[in-house]
């Protein structure tokens, strides 16, 4: 097998072996990518640092763990450095076939063994050989399924058998390892539904049994954000993040709102980001009501929540004024305004509701004046019309007696709305 | 809001030969590890292509997938910004104006004699790339510049509309010396599969 022959990367099973070896020897690998063979040299130049697990250009004598016949010193199928793994695009097809074949056959044997020993294997001392076979097969299945998932992110059977193997053991570390596998898959396929649902499965399984769940949730939330930032319009990432909220304790919910406010301020076109905030805020309301129902004297908590909402409203106003014509911001404000009037304003007494609505109309008016210069966002006129409709709906629902104000605003804007 | 790159190029008055890169500040840290070198190459390629087709005293913004490339050619000295869709357009051009001012302050007219791409980093540009990630910073510049020229900004919905009649992006990609084989391969692959997440 010469370098010049692109299909001659040795046997496919050797490719699989090498891939699995790399994954075993560097458990910190957090990113996988598929690279053109011509990039290997450039990558080595780019990273600069000496490689620990790179398999190119190293003398065979260093590979004491591997048999000499299995290592091609001028390996151009894999590149690994700085916990990043690159797989040559030319190796993908044979590698996938080998991985699928290995996985399916090991899975078949595993299922057979389970079927033959339906009772819990391991308790019966007569079945010592079965126990070790089972352990070996489990290991094989896990090894091959991981390699396979790096090439085919939505291979359902692979994800499911991993769930099956892990759930048979009561080991927290194994569950956390599953999160790592999912992260690796998401690094090359950030919208993979199976990878995200695998994370949901892990969280569900460890929820009652884990001491540091809050820490894990914090990391999950951060991961979802990082991935959402890198891959635009990633509904699944945001959906997962919203789903996590139901597992978060109250203080963590409030913390999330405050911690990620600045980030949201730099992503004003991202409606999913603001939708996540509505999820968090709704949760604060639910918590408050729950407490009130129990007649607990947690007045300070409700005051804290009230303050939070006030801050959110004023921050939303600043953003709207700064970035004219952003639909996501207006939709968010609709949510805030409606909830404020419904749940908080009544307690503020007297003319609060009226002055609040007045302020909203004021804000709306100040944003609908179409400026003269050409440098404005093209969406702003359309958004202005939409906002007009929204505000009208809110007004009619909440204080119909104020509806006359709407006509006034319309007249003043010269029928623009 | 994201600024991925800021470039300064020298454009020939008749637009005949390719522009020369005078300064390049790029941040590809938010891309996958293995995409980064290709992204840098595409930035150079697209930057050159757009700058070449930006006549003097003109501003234009070109939409390319989820990015906008903004270009301002001021008497042959051209500033380019690669921003995401969120970044307000008015802030971009006040920033590009500032970049050109600073460049002339630091380098005078020496750029007129440059014939090949400059590989040296310009610290100001790297710093600007970081500082103006928040467009509010760029808006502070806006106050000074609102009275300046009222040239309209031309908006292009695709990069194809910048090209001349008969020119195709595919053939430009193939001919370009800015793009390695790997990058060209990725470009073709992305087009074939019509991914929603492409390199640039």
């Amino acid at each position: 097998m010469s370098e010049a022959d692109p299909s001659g990367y040795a046997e496919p099973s050797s490719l699989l072996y090498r891939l699995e070896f790399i994954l075993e020897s560097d458990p910190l690998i957090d990113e996988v990518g598929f690279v053109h063979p011509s990039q290997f040299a450039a990558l080595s130049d780019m990273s600069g640092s000496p490689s620990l697990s790179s398999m190119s250009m190293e003398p065979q004598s260093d590979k004491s763990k591997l048999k000499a016949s299995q290592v091609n010193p001028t390996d151009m199928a894999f590149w690994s450095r700085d916990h990043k793994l690159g797989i040559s695009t030319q190796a993908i097809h044979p590698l996938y076939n080998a991985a699928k074949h290995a996985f399916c056959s090991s899975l078949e044997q595993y299922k057979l063994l389970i079927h033959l020993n339906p009772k819990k294997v391991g308790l019966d001392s007569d079945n010592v050989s079965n126990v070790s076979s089972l352990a070996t097969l489990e290991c094989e299945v896990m090894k091959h399924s991981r390699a396979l998932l790096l090439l085919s992110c939505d291979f359902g059977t692979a994800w499911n058998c991993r769930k099956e193997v892990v759930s048979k053991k009561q080991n927290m570390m194994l569950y956390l390892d599953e999160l790592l596998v999912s992260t690796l898959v998401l690094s090359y396929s950030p919208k993979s539904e199976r990878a995200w649902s695998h994370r949901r499965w892990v969280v569900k399984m460890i929820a009652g049994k884990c001491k540091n769940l809050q820490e894990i949730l914090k990391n999950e939330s951060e991961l979802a954000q990082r991935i959402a930032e890198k891959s635009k319009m990633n509904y699944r990432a945001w959906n997962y993040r919203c789903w996590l909220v139901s597992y978060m304790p109250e203080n963590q919910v409030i913390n999330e709102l405050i911690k990620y406010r600045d980030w949201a301020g730099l992503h004003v076109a991202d409606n999913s980001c603001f939708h996540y905030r509505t999820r968090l805020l709704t949760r604060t309301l639910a918590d408050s009501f729950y407490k009130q129902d129990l007649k607990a004297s947690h007045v300070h908590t409700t005051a804290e929540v009230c303050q939070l909402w006030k801050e959110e409203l004023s921050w939303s106003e600043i953003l709207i004024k700064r970035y004219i014509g952003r639909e996501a911001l207006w939709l968010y404000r609709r949510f805030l305004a409606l909830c404020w009037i419904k749940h908080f304003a009544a307690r503020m007494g007297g003319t609060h509701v009226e002055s609040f609505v007045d302020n909203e109309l004021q804000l709306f008016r100040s944003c609908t004046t179409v400026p003269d210069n050409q440098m404005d966002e093209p969406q702003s006129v359309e958004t202005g019309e939409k906002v007009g409709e929204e505000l009208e709906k809110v007004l009619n629902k909440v204080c119909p007696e104020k509806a006359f104000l709407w006509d006034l605003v319309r007249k003043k804007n010269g029928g623009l709305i | 809001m994201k600024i991925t790159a800021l470039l300064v190029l020298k454009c020939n008055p008749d637009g005949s030969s390719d522009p020369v890169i005078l300064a390049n500040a790029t941040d590809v840290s938010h891309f996958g590890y293995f995409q980064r070198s290709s992204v840098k190459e595409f930035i150079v390629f697209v930057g050159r292509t757009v700058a070449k087709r930006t006549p003097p005293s003109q501003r234009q913004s070109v939409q390319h997938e989820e990015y906008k490339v903004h270009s301002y050619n001021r008497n042959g000295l051209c500033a380019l910004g690669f921003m995401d869709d969120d970044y307000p357009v008015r802030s971009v051009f006040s920033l590009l104006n500032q970049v050109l001012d600073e460049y002339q302050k630091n380098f005078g007219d020496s750029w007129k004699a440059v014939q090949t791409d400059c590989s040296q980093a310009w610290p100001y540009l790297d710093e600007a790339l970081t500082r103006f990630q928040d467009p509010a910073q760029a808006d502070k510049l806006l106050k000074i510049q609102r009275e300046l020229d009222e040239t309209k900004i031309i908006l292009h919905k695709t990069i194809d509309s910048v090209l001349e009649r008969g020119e195709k992006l595919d053939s430009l990609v193939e001919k370009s010396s800015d793009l390695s084989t790997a990058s060209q391969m990725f470009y073709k692959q992305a087009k074939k599969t019509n991914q929603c997440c492409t390199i640039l």
Side-chain angles (χ1 to χ4, degrees):
Chain A
M1 52 213 108
S2 65
E3 265 176 80
D5 175 12
S7 60
Y9 284 113
E11 244 189 288
S13 54
S14 159
L15 278 175
L16 181 64
Y17 183 87
R18 273 140 58 191
L19 173 63
E20 290 171 350
F21 174 74
I22 295 175
L23 290 171
E24 281 296 321
S25 49
D26 186 359
L28 296 178
I29 291 181
D30 59 10
E31 193 171 337
V32 171
F34 301 105
V35 297
H36 195 263
S38 63
Q39 280 181 279
F40 279 57
L43 281 168
S44 302
D45 292 336
M46 193 170 86
S47 76
S49 58
S51 155
L52 292 170
S53 54
S54 164
M55 292 175 79
S56 59
M57 303 307 184
E58 273 180 67
Q60 289 194 13
S61 54
D62 288 348
K63 295 279 179 295
S64 51
K65 284 187 188 171
L66 295 175
K67 294 178 200 158
S69 58
Q70 285 174 317
V71 176
N72 183 347
T74 53
D75 185 345
M76 292 306 275
F78 302 106
W79 184 94
S80 175
R81 198 170 289 188
D82 301 331
H83 311 302
K84 312 287 177 196
L85 172 61
I87 302 176
S88 165
T89 47
Q90 308 213 323
I92 294 178
H93 198 195
L95 193 55
Y96 170 75
N97 285 331
K100 185 170 155 198
H101 178 79
F103 168 70
C104 290
S105 75
S106 58
L107 183 64
E108 207 177 303
Q109 291 174 52
Y110 173 74
K111 288 215 147 116
L112 206 65
L113 201 63
I114 296 284
H115 179 71
L116 288 172
N117 299 280
K119 294 181 191 160
K120 265 195 191 161
V121 182
L123 297 177
D124 189 344
S125 55
D126 289 345
N127 279 318
V128 167
S129 63
N130 275 339
V131 171
S132 69
S133 310
L134 189 68
T136 316
L137 277 175
E138 276 176 352
C139 189
E140 290 286 295
V141 162
M142 292 300 265
K143 200 170 56 167
H144 296 316
S145 61
R146 179 171 59 173
L148 183 56
L149 288 170
L150 289 192
L151 303 160
S152 176
C153 60
D154 284 331
F155 205 102
T157 314
W159 287 113
N160 289 340
C161 82
R162 290 189 78 89
K163 290 181 174 78
E164 192 176 329
V165 170
V166 170
S167 54
K168 283 198 162 78
K169 324 215 181 230
Q170 296 305 316
N171 187 344
M172 190 61 61
M173 287 313 297
L174 290 180
Y175 284 105
L176 298 180
D177 280 346
E178 290 307 298
L179 287 177
L180 289 175
V181 172
S182 167
T183 307
L184 207 51
V185 172
L186 288 170
S187 74
Y188 80 88
S189 183
K191 297 188 179 183
S192 161
E193 173 58 34
R194 306 271 178 158
W196 286 110
S197 76
H198 200 67
R199 300 192 94 85
R200 269 194 289 273
W201 173 79
V202 170
V203 172
K204 271 190 227 169
M205 296 302 276
I206 65 175
K209 310 164 191 165
C210 181
K211 286 182 193 143
N212 60 335
L213 183 68
Q214 199 166 331
E215 178 74 26
I216 292 175
L217 291 175
K218 183 170 85 92
N219 293 336
E220 289 298 292
S221 178
E222 222 174 280
L223 174 96
Q225 179 174 284
R226 255 199 334 265
I227 292 183
E229 181 158 31
K230 278 191 188 181
S231 66
K232 301 272 172 168
M233 301 180 287
N234 194 334
Y235 166 76
R236 293 189 172 112
W238 285 108
N239 197 32
Y240 176 67
R241 210 176 174 194
C242 286
W243 179 86
L244 288 171
V245 176
S246 42
Y247 288 86
M248 290 181 190
E250 193 181 340
N251 63 324
Q252 191 173 14
V253 171
I254 294 176
N255 200 32
E256 284 275 308
L257 276 163
I258 297 172
K259 185 173 165 191
Y260 293 108
R261 193 176 278 153
D262 288 341
W263 191 91
L266 290 174
H267 293 80
V268 293
D270 192 340
N271 195 43
S272 301
C273 164
F274 287 93
H275 177 259
Y276 176 62
R277 294 187 83 77
T278 66
R279 176 81 185 89
L280 290 166
L281 285 170
T282 311
R283 177 60 204 278
T284 64
L285 283 180
D287 289 340
S288 294
F289 290 151
Y290 180 65
K291 290 211 168 86
Q292 281 169 17
D293 278 346
L294 295 181
K295 296 201 167 108
S297 58
H298 289 155
V299 181
H300 61 278
T301 315
T302 317
E304 185 188 5
V305 169
C306 186
Q307 180 61 25
L308 192 68
W309 277 78
K310 268 195 203 152
E311 281 170 15
E312 202 71 11
L313 273 162
S314 67
W315 171 72
S316 149
E317 187 167 343
I318 294 171
L319 286 180
I320 283 181
K321 285 180 178 157
R322 191 187 294 168
Y323 303 107
I324 308 276
R326 294 291 180 180
E327 189 169 357
L329 293 176
W330 281 105
L331 289 175
Y332 187 53
R333 196 159 184 90
R334 171 176 73 163
F335 160 79
L336 288 174
L338 214 59
C339 285
W340 180 263
I341 293 173
K342 252 196 211 164
H343 303 292
F344 294 91
R347 265 180 271 145
M348 302 273 153
T351 55
H352 178 83
V353 176
E354 292 178 2
S355 54
F356 179 78
V357 174
D358 282 343
N359 189 43
E360 293 306 300
L361 287 170
Q362 182 85 359
L363 177 63
F364 169 68
R365 236 182 299 155
S366 69
C367 295
T368 49
T369 353
V370 180
D372 289 347
N373 68 49
Q374 301 284 337
M375 294 200 228
D376 230 306
E377 311 306 322
Q379 323 164 289
S380 59
V381 176
E382 272 177 53
T383 311
E385 287 166 11
K386 280 197 186 128
V387 168
E389 285 166 26
E390 299 303 342
L391 212 48
E392 188 164 12
K393 267 191 228 154
V394 172
L395 262 178
N396 284 328
K397 227 188 224 176
V398 174
C399 36
E401 70 274 14
K402 290 268 175 178
F404 77 92
L405 273 174
W406 189 245
D407 294 328
L408 212 71
V409 172
R410 247 205 208 105
K411 281 200 195 115
K412 284 211 166 164
N413 278 281
L416 256 171
I417 320 151
Chain B
M1 317 286 163
K2 188 99 188 81
I3 311 179
T4 303
L6 290 172
L7 278 79
V8 181
L9 296 95
K10 164 193 162 193
C11 295
N12 287 311
D14 50 3
S16 53
S17 54
D18 282 344
V20 173
I21 295 186
L22 303 167
N24 181 346
T26 304
D27 173 20
V28 288
S29 56
H30 56 289
F31 284 93
Y33 185 85
F34 297 98
Q35 296 175 305
R36 286 171 195 172
S37 60
S38 277
V39 172
K40 282 198 200 145
E41 288 175 12
F42 266 102
I43 286 174
V44 167
F45 165 71
V46 173
R48 242 197 266 275
T49 308
V50 172
K52 187 175 180 183
R53 294 157 181 80
T54 309
S57 310
Q58 195 185 86
R59 295 188 184 126
Q60 54 187 6
S61 294
V62 185
Q63 181 84 38
H64 185 62
E65 271 127 34
E66 68 258 25
Y67 294 91
K68 277 207 177 84
V69 183
H70 309 275
S71 167
Y72 177 31
N73 182 340
R74 197 166 76 179
N75 303 319
L77 192 64
C78 188
L80 247 95
F82 285 71
M83 274 84 167
D84 67 1
D85 271 341
D86 295 357
Y87 208 99
V89 175
R90 64 178 195 282
S91 310
V92 171
F93 285 98
S94 64
L95 169 58
L96 293 183
N97 215 29
Q98 170 88 339
V99 165
L100 291 175
D101 285 342
E102 282 294 322
Y103 191 84
Q104 300 225 263
K105 228 196 285 177
N106 282 331
F107 299 95
D109 280 343
S110 61
W111 58 273
K112 294 189 182 170
V114 176
Q115 296 298 327
T116 52
D117 286 351
C118 177
S119 52
Q120 245 185 331
W122 180 30
Y124 169 80
L125 202 61
D126 291 318
E127 196 250 310
L129 187 66
T130 318
R131 183 151 54 109
F132 296 109
Q133 292 295 335
D134 182 355
Q137 293 295 319
D139 278 350
K140 289 182 188 156
L141 306 170
L142 187 64
K143 292 193 188 104
I144 317 163
Q145 288 165 6
R146 213 188 265 279
E147 309 87 29
L148 294 183
D149 57 85
E150 302 262 308
T151 332
K152 274 204 279 194
I153 301 170
I154 300 187
L155 300 169
H156 295 271
K157 288 235 166 90
T158 63
I159 200 169
D160 286 326
S161 64
V162 183
L163 304 178
E164 258 110 78
R165 205 142 55 105
E167 267 188 323
K168 286 276 166 189
L169 188 62
D170 290 358
S171 56
L172 288 177
V173 166
E174 232 167 289
K175 282 188 270 177
S176 170
S177 53
D178 289 328
L179 298 172
S180 63
T181 324
S183 296
Q184 290 184 3
M185 186 211 79
F186 277 127
Y187 172 80
K188 287 191 195 131
Q189 202 67 34
K191 280 203 82 183
K192 246 199 279 184
T193 57
N194 198 26
Q195 292 168 15
C196 58
C197 314
T198 50
I199 293 170
L200 193 69

